[in-house]
Amino acid sequence: MMWMASLPAMRALVLCFAAGVVLLQGRESLPDAAMLGLPGAGLALVLLLFRARREHVAAGRASAMRRLARGLALAGLAFILGFGWAALRADWRLADELRGELEGVDIGLTGFVAGLPQPLDEGVRFHFEPDGEVEGVPGKLLLSWYRARGTTQAPPVVKPGERWRFTVRLKRPHGFHNPGGFDYEAWLLERGLRATGYVRGGAQRLDADAAGPMDVVHRLRDAVRERFAAVLGDAPYAGILVALVIGEQRGIPPGQWEVFRRTGVAHLVAISGMHITLAAAIAGGSLGWIWRRIPGLVLRCPVRRAQALAAVLAGTGYALLAGLGIPVQRALIMLFVVAVALYRGRFILPSRVLALALLAVLVLDPWACLSAGFWLSFGAVAAIGFMLGGRRDAVGGWRAALRVQLGISLALLPLLVMLFQSLPLLSPLANAVAIPLVNFIITPFALLAALLPLDFLLQWGHQATALMMVFVEWLAAFEPGYWRQPAPPMWLGTLAMAAAAGALLPRGTPGRMAALVALAGLLA
């Protein structure tokens, strides 16, 4: 289509699609079937507009008003498609519910353990996918298996991909939804867990083989977690190293999470685009160094293409090992788009890469916008692109890194206040020390320790983590460095985000200081 040639139009349409998805997720109920038919009506309207466009372009009489009407119709269509797609996915997921008469009674189920089981103080919690032999049982359950009452014997070890026969007691998802509190029911819905329960007895392991490719990945993740636990034991920061490799954050104590929140370095523990890009860059750079020194390989395949393939393979492997969280999905999609462009020898704008990643994430998982990581991840990358793109006074080295860090802190200020009602004022200082340590020392040691049976790599990684934690814990103890306030109204938060974007405009742009004044209103 002709409109795809316009990059600003494509980005705007993706944002309209995303707005439709976000609006649906904020509704109290799903729209009726008539509203779900609106995408079809909008599509028919746009097709008619395209036909009119071809006729008028051929006649040379296309007016500005008609072009505006076409643009508005396309924006409306994108919004309706996003709204309708999210509603359709929600309707499918809500239909997969526990039948009323099966709630609170013992049921025999056969199925597979999915994902990475979570150890508990008195048992284990895991995802379970029944075979479907009992009608009215959802396709994905969250089960807990506790030790028998009055005994100290733990339940058997549960591994990803194992096939079990359980007697379980289930209930429909429900939870408290206090303002500003954790919405447990929405958390379950986002992950497709349509019933919870616990194992009552009659447990029998039927098959220890993995059920599919992802179960093999989860078994590998479980093996890495067990090896790290065996080597590090009760080391205070072992959970951080596990999180950096397999994305499993439950081993990090609440006290350490509080330190991360107060200093703004929690994003370093959650595997995101920075970690995926690092793995891809190391793989691509190493292979390129080798490739250039073998003339036969260079004649068969250009170095840039070989580097792109190596980067994609390394990034995909790390993303799978990390469990494919939302920030990881975004980074992996962006990596694929950039690699395809490099492989074909084409240049692609960073903003277009980000828009394609946003579209892919919301199409695959419309519930992604419910998580804070979605907003912070895309917001940080958008801020980096906004600050570095098209600047005539570009700087390099430590000054560029400092500018980017300060810019990200400013851009994410409204989101942090709206999502967490707090703001780590010392975040730039903490990240200036923590980012190099995590990216270039701690994470490489942890990844190498996962690939190679060398225990000293884990010890070195833990020692580097301990040094980093000494510094960030010292910053976290400074009480004035952590700003708290009630959640602002939505209109003020939206105004503050627009003001933050205005404050990041190039030097000399009129109104930059006014934007900072408007941004200060968020903290009042």
Side-chain angles (χ1 to χ4, degrees):
M1 295 182 184
M2 294 294 294
W3 60 270
M4 285 299 290
S6 173
L7 296 183
M10 189 277 289
R11 295 191 294 263
L13 292 178
V14 171
L15 291 177
C16 291
F17 181 90
V21 173
V22 172
L23 179 64
L24 186 280
Q25 301 300 352
R27 285 176 57 93
E28 296 181 356
S29 60
L30 290 179
D32 54 24
M35 185 173 291
L36 290 179
L38 288 177
L43 179 60
L45 174 63
V46 171
L47 291 176
L48 292 176
L49 289 172
F50 271 127
R51 181 178 179 182
R53 179 182 187 278
R54 287 196 297 268
E55 294 174 356
H56 282 275
V57 169
R61 298 194 303 271
S63 65
M65 187 61 68
R66 188 173 296 276
R67 288 196 300 270
L68 177 61
R70 286 196 300 270
L72 292 177
L74 284 169
L77 172 65
F79 179 85
I80 292 171
L81 286 176
F83 187 88
W85 173 245
L88 188 62
R89 289 287 302 274
D91 185 62
W92 291 346
R93 183 158 293 182
L94 290 174
D96 184 28
E97 63 177 357
L98 181 67
R99 205 168 58 200
E101 60 268 24
L102 298 179
E103 189 170 15
V105 300
D106 290 348
I107 308 171
L109 295 177
T110 302
F112 292 95
V113 177
L116 197 62
Q118 174 191 357
L120 303 175
D121 292 338
E122 298 183 354
V124 64
R125 181 176 292 133
F126 55 93
H127 297 175
F128 189 70
E129 296 182 359
D131 290 343
E133 76 273 24
V134 179
E135 186 178 355
V137 174
K140 195 173 184 180
L141 312 173
L142 179 63
L143 297 181
S144 300
W145 194 357
Y146 302 104
R147 66 188 182 194
R149 184 174 300 178
T151 68
T152 59
Q153 183 179 1
V157 176
V158 177
K159 295 290 184 181
E162 290 181 340
R163 184 177 175 85
W164 283 80
R165 175 73 180 179
F166 291 127
T167 299
V168 301
R169 183 166 293 185
L170 304 176
K171 64 179 180 179
R172 297 179 181 181
H174 65 84
F176 299 109
H177 190 187
N178 297 321
F182 177 64
D183 190 347
Y184 181 62
E185 188 171 349
W187 183 86
L188 292 173
L189 178 67
E190 179 186 352
R191 286 154 180 80
L193 299 168
R194 301 297 297 131
T196 64
Y198 59 95
V199 177
R200 291 273 292 172
Q204 181 183 3
R205 183 187 286 109
L206 303 178
D207 191 354
D209 293 335
M214 278 307 298
D215 294 301
V216 175
V217 173
H218 291 309
R219 286 200 170 191
L220 177 61
R221 299 174 67 212
D222 185 59
V224 170
R225 182 176 61 179
E226 290 185 349
R227 179 169 172 268
F228 278 32
V231 173
L232 297 176
D234 296 331
Y237 307 118
I240 297 177
L241 297 178
V242 172
L244 288 173
V245 175
I246 66 171
E248 175 60 48
Q249 303 175 358
R250 297 183 181 96
I252 301 177
Q256 292 179 13
W257 278 120
E258 181 64 20
V259 171
F260 297 151
R261 282 190 289 267
R262 294 177 67 90
T263 54
V265 298
H267 66 97
L268 296 177
V269 181
I271 298 176
S272 61
M274 189 162 46
H275 303 82
I276 301 297
T277 302
L278 176 66
I282 292 174
S286 301
L287 183 68
W289 185 86
I290 298 173
W291 206 269
R292 290 185 181 93
R293 283 153 178 80
I294 304 177
L297 294 178
V298 177
L299 293 175
R300 290 178 177 270
C301 179
V303 176
R304 178 170 292 185
R305 288 190 174 185
Q307 288 180 306
L309 291 175
V312 167
L313 291 175
T316 302
Y318 192 10
L320 290 173
L321 191 62
L324 288 176
I326 292 172
V328 175
Q329 293 176 24
R330 186 265 305 160
L332 188 60
I333 293 169
M334 294 180 69
L335 177 63
F336 268 103
V337 174
V338 172
V340 170
L342 290 174
Y343 191 85
R344 300 181 63 183
R346 295 185 177 184
F347 173 77
I348 186 169
L349 291 174
S351 57
R352 193 180 188 189
V353 176
L354 186 63
L356 291 174
L358 175 63
L359 178 63
V361 168
L362 290 179
V363 168
L364 295 175
D365 183 10
W367 293 273
C369 62
L370 295 177
S371 69
F374 171 86
W375 299 97
L376 296 177
S377 175
F378 279 99
V381 177
I384 294 174
F386 188 70
M387 286 184 293
L388 300 181
R391 302 300 173 100
R392 307 180 73 178
D393 59 339
V395 296
W398 66 269
R399 290 189 298 168
L402 178 61
R403 176 181 292 185
V404 168
Q405 181 56 48
L406 293 176
I408 292 176
S409 300
L410 181 63
L412 298 185
L413 186 153
L415 287 175
L416 290 172
V417 173
M418 294 174 67
L419 294 172
F420 305 113
Q421 296 82 56
S422 60
L423 182 65
L425 301 178
L426 299 178
S427 173
L429 181 58
N431 280 280
V433 175
I435 287 178
L437 283 174
V438 171
N439 282 351
F440 303 115
I441 298 179
I442 299 174
T443 301
F445 277 152
L447 286 176
L448 286 174
L451 298 174
L452 304 174
L454 301 175
D455 295 347
F456 69 88
L457 293 173
L458 269 180
Q459 302 292 346
W460 289 357
H462 189 271
Q463 291 174 8
T465 306
L467 290 175
M468 179 192 72
M469 291 301 295
V470 169
F471 179 70
V472 296
E473 286 173 355
W474 176 70
L475 292 180
F478 184 63
E479 188 63 30
Y482 191 60
W483 179 281
R484 295 185 183 90
Q485 73 173 67
M490 181 59 68
W491 67 267
L492 182 57
T494 304
L495 178 63
M497 285 189 283
L504 295 177
L505 289 171
R507 184 183 305 172
T509 303
R512 289 184 72 204
M513 296 307 298
L516 290 175
V517 173
L519 187 60
L522 180 71
L523 305 179

